[in-house]
Amino acid sequence: MHAKKLIIQLLICFGLGSFSTFSLEPYKIYPLIFCFSYFILIIYKFKSLKDIFLLSWAFAFGWFLFGLYWIGHAFLIKSNIFLYLMPFAAILLPLFLSLIWAFAFLLSKWVSKKIGEVHINLTIILSIVEYFRGNFLNFPWLMPGNFFSSEEYLLQGFSFIGSYSMNLVFFILIILPILIFKYYRRTIWPILLLSFPIICLFFNSYYRYNNRNLEYFDKIHMIKIIQPNIKQKLKWKKRLKSSHHMTLVDLSQSVNQTKKALSVLYIWPETALLGVYPRDKNLITNLSQKFLNKNKEEYLFTGIISKKKNKYYNSAILLNSKKQIENIYNKNILVPFGEYLPLRNLLPKIKLFENKVDFLSGKKNMVIAVNNFYNFIPLICYEIIFSNIIFKSMDEKTSLIVNITNDAWFGNSIGPVQHFQFSKIRAAEFGIPVVRVANTGFSGFISPYGEVLEKLQIYEKGSLSFNLINKLETTLYKKYGDKIFLILILVLYTFSIVFNRKIQRKENE
């Protein structure tokens, strides 16, 4: 009987976690955020640590499974044996991540027997776990704080306290109804005190966005982005190689306002050039000369595979209208299984992996200085999800972040939507405009306030041209980084202890 009841409870918790993801982009059913609240309210009514672990695991599994299902879509592109591996890929990662969250719920319950209030302790520990997930596991995807990136007003909060601190804000918001429900008869002032900083954050976010000021450079300096919309299944077919290249060239040549510009930066997506540098240098330069005006200061920044001493890199190169390669950037953070095979030495006899070439990661990121106007940080694919790369790379002259990617692997799923969100978050955090260029979408230009100024939709073939926008002088997060998160954790930890003592005194009166 107990086993049957436990199974029903596990399914309910799984359902609550699953429904919670629909509060995020692209669904934005905001009230479903309170599925989190309801789950947290009921989970700590269980006294058994085993039950708490299992039920919180079920909730977290629902959250990560429904939020990351799109990862399995890449295996559909590969087909053959990869098709059979898809269920394992789509399930194993959410399974692993959910175990980490379950540990956080369990630890919160155990710690609260000794010190602090259990719901506030959960907020602290779960936020620390998310920080660990982003900085040490290199996978800050589907963080709850991304809930606030769906609306421009709420998005401004990232400019003050950053992504990891916005996780804290998210968890505080979902436990506030619980704290009010449980303790309002004993004490309300500490709860109001906990709410006050969040109210101030959102008020300042509203004020910041309402008073935004976008300063454009002179129209003689422009950027043009190209979205060729080439299906992944067709992308690497040799017979279509020339056709794909001409699609990029034609879109770059399309009539627009760049004709009047003295300086133009053209940007193509990740691995847009279907060749290997430097072997195919002539192909690259010949294609660029079809649209770069040699009498003007014009440049092409494009993704390509590069090779050096039998080592392959996922790269991006910058070449000018004089046929010169001015810079090359090698991707720093690679995608496991997508760009390299972890523990390859343990799999030498499996024929499936014999001919697969592993990419190597670059040694460092850098600011690419084109001229006095274009000083940008290059980021390839999911490097945009890591704020620490930008911290390590930027200098005083950094005026732009350029993210080139190929999300064609994930079709018309929520994956490209989530990926695009990170561009908005990074722009708001650092007060630096972001240009995102994808093969099949989404591509666009994002202001230093995280506002999407122009955008090409999924599966839309086309190009966009726009004037450069000045970066903001600074943001609070850009100035202090994740020190803000650590300070907030200490403050909330102190609050948890004081709050719990106050509750205990009231109960003893």
Side-chain angles (χ1 to χ4, degrees):
M1 186 66 181
H2 176 71
K4 184 177 180 181
K5 184 178 179 181
L6 179 62
I7 291 173
I8 294 173
Q9 290 168 340
L10 288 171
L11 290 173
I12 291 172
C13 291
F14 174 81
L16 288 172
S18 304
F19 287 134
S20 296
T21 62
F22 288 90
S23 64
L24 307 175
E25 290 266 16
Y27 314 107
K28 298 195 288 188
I29 308 174
Y30 299 132
L32 289 178
I33 186 179
F34 293 109
C35 288
F36 253 101
S37 302
Y38 182 69
F39 170 73
I40 293 172
L41 175 65
I42 63 175
I43 189 65
Y44 289 125
K45 290 183 178 181
F46 291 86
K47 295 182 180 180
S48 167
L49 293 180
K50 179 182 177 181
D51 287 345
I52 290 173
F53 182 84
L54 289 174
L55 294 174
S56 57
W57 168 82
F59 175 85
F61 186 56
W63 171 266
F64 286 113
L65 182 65
F66 273 69
L68 298 174
Y69 77 86
W70 51 268
I71 291 176
H73 197 282
F75 290 80
L76 295 175
I77 301 294
K78 283 279 188 180
S79 68
N80 299 326
I81 192 170
F82 288 93
L83 186 62
Y84 299 100
L85 293 175
M86 183 191 70
F88 298 99
I91 291 173
L92 288 179
L93 179 60
L95 183 65
F96 171 70
L97 296 175
S98 60
L99 288 174
I100 298 175
W101 270 29
F103 171 76
F105 277 89
L106 187 67
L107 182 60
S108 302
K109 179 67 174 180
W110 181 79
V111 167
S112 302
K113 292 180 179 179
K114 302 177 182 297
I115 189 170
E117 201 280 334
V118 63
H119 302 96
I120 303 176
N121 285 347
L122 174 66
T123 293
I124 295 168
I125 293 172
L126 207 47
S127 296
I128 292 173
V129 163
E130 288 298 271
Y131 182 82
F132 170 81
R133 184 159 72 92
N135 284 280
F136 297 98
L137 298 183
N138 277 349
F139 197 76
W141 214 292
L142 202 68
M143 292 197 302
N146 287 5
F147 169 84
F148 300 109
S149 64
S150 299
E151 297 295 334
E152 278 75 9
Y153 286 102
L154 297 178
L155 180 64
Q156 307 312 307
F158 291 90
S159 71
F160 296 108
I161 59 177
S163 296
Y164 296 111
S165 298
M166 290 301 280
N167 286 330
L168 261 178
V169 173
F170 178 90
F171 291 128
I172 291 173
L173 280 178
I174 62 175
I175 68 165
L176 273 175
I178 301 172
L179 296 179
I180 294 171
F181 177 76
K182 287 186 66 176
Y183 302 118
Y184 78 96
R185 290 182 180 178
R186 279 166 277 184
T187 180
I188 194 67
W189 288 108
I191 298 172
L192 294 176
L193 182 63
L194 185 62
S195 309
F196 182 72
I198 296 178
I199 294 171
C200 290
L201 175 67
F202 290 152
F203 175 82
N204 281 289
S205 297
Y206 178 84
Y207 179 83
R208 182 179 192 266
Y209 188 69
N210 258 10
N211 291 275
R212 65 192 184 281
N213 181 28
L214 301 179
E215 295 182 0
Y216 287 85
F217 277 121
D218 193 288
K219 291 184 179 180
I220 60 173
H221 305 289
M222 302 195 72
I223 293 176
K224 183 169 183 176
I225 65 174
I226 310 302
Q227 182 171 295
N229 189 30
I230 298 170
K231 293 180 179 179
Q232 191 61 35
K233 287 184 177 181
L234 303 177
K235 182 176 172 67
W236 294 99
K237 291 187 178 295
K238 291 183 179 180
R239 60 184 175 82
L240 298 176
K241 181 178 175 180
S242 297
S243 174
H244 294 337
H245 284 157
M246 287 313 300
T247 295
L248 290 159
V249 170
D250 290 344
L251 289 170
S252 301
Q253 289 176 328
S254 58
V255 178
N256 54 56
Q257 59 267 44
T258 58
K259 281 192 170 184
K260 298 180 181 179
L262 296 181
S263 175
V264 184
L265 174 62
Y266 294 82
I267 306 176
W268 290 0
E270 178 185 13
T271 59
L273 277 167
L274 306 177
V276 177
Y277 178 82
R279 184 194 69 191
D280 298 317
K281 183 179 178 181
N282 288 337
L283 169 66
I284 299 163
T285 53
N286 290 338
L287 285 173
S288 67
Q289 293 308 298
K290 293 179 183 296
F291 59 92
L292 292 182
N293 188 334
K294 63 179 67 177
N295 297 318
K296 292 184 179 181
E297 199 174 347
E298 296 194 350
Y299 307 85
L300 170 64
F301 184 69
T302 179
I304 192 172
I305 294 172
S306 67
K307 182 181 179 182
K308 185 178 181 181
K309 297 180 180 179
N310 293 321
K311 296 177 181 179
Y312 289 87
Y313 299 89
N314 186 355
S315 305
I317 59 173
L318 177 73
L319 46 88
N320 62 28
S321 52
K322 306 295 189 296
K323 297 187 178 183
Q324 298 168 325
I325 305 296
E326 292 204 353
N327 223 318
I328 182 166
Y329 166 68
N330 298 324
K331 187 179 179 184
N332 280 234
I333 303 179
L334 302 176
V335 179
F337 300 101
E339 293 174 311
Y340 74 98
L341 183 64
L343 306 175
R344 171 179 283 277
N345 293 334
L346 301 180
L347 304 167
K349 297 181 180 180
I350 300 179
K351 292 183 178 181
L352 173 65
F353 302 116
E354 281 182 356
N355 297 322
K356 180 176 174 60
V357 176
D358 285 347
F359 287 119
L360 294 180
S361 60
K363 294 182 179 179
K364 63 178 182 177
N365 208 314
M366 56 188 172
V367 175
I368 295 181
V370 178
N371 53 30
N372 292 331
F373 303 96
Y374 306 106
N375 292 275
F376 64 90
I377 295 174
L379 299 172
I380 298 177
C381 193
Y382 88 144
E383 287 183 321
I384 191 68
I385 75 177
F386 302 103
S387 56
N388 59 333
I389 290 185
I390 299 174
F391 270 116
K392 293 175 183 177
S393 309
M394 65 182 178
D395 56 29
E396 292 181 358
K397 294 183 178 180
T398 304
S399 57
L400 189 67
I401 297 170
V402 174
N403 177 217
I404 60 172
T405 186
N406 179 23
D407 285 347
W409 288 100
F410 308 111
N412 191 15
S413 67
I414 62 174
V417 178
Q418 292 178 4
H419 201 179
F420 189 80
Q421 271 188 292
F422 281 103
S423 296
K424 294 164 59 179
I425 292 171
R426 295 290 92 84
E429 279 181 335
F430 293 94
I432 299 175
V434 173
V435 172
R436 187 177 193 270
V437 187
N439 173 23
T440 55
F442 299 92
S443 302
F445 187 41
I446 302 167
S447 83
Y449 296 94
E451 178 184 11
V452 180
L453 300 177
E454 297 191 60
K455 183 178 180 182
L456 290 168
Q457 299 297 329
I458 195 80
Y459 296 147
E460 181 181 356
K461 178 181 175 181
S463 63
L464 290 175
S465 300
F466 36 77
N467 304 323
L468 278 172
I469 293 178
N470 278 326
K471 65 177 179 179
L472 304 182
E473 186 174 343
T474 190
T475 65
L476 191 66
Y477 178 72
K478 181 181 176 182
K479 191 173 182 180
Y480 296 106
D482 289 328
K483 294 175 184 176
I484 298 171
F485 172 72
L486 299 176
I487 291 170
L488 291 177
I489 287 290
L490 290 173
V491 171
L492 194 57
Y493 175 70
T494 304
F495 178 86
S496 179
I497 297 172
V498 173
F499 181 80
N500 193 50
R501 287 177 179 174
K502 187 174 182 63
I503 293 298
Q504 289 177 347
R505 283 199 301 268
K506 290 285 185 179
E507 290 178 345
N508 294 330
E509 288 178 357

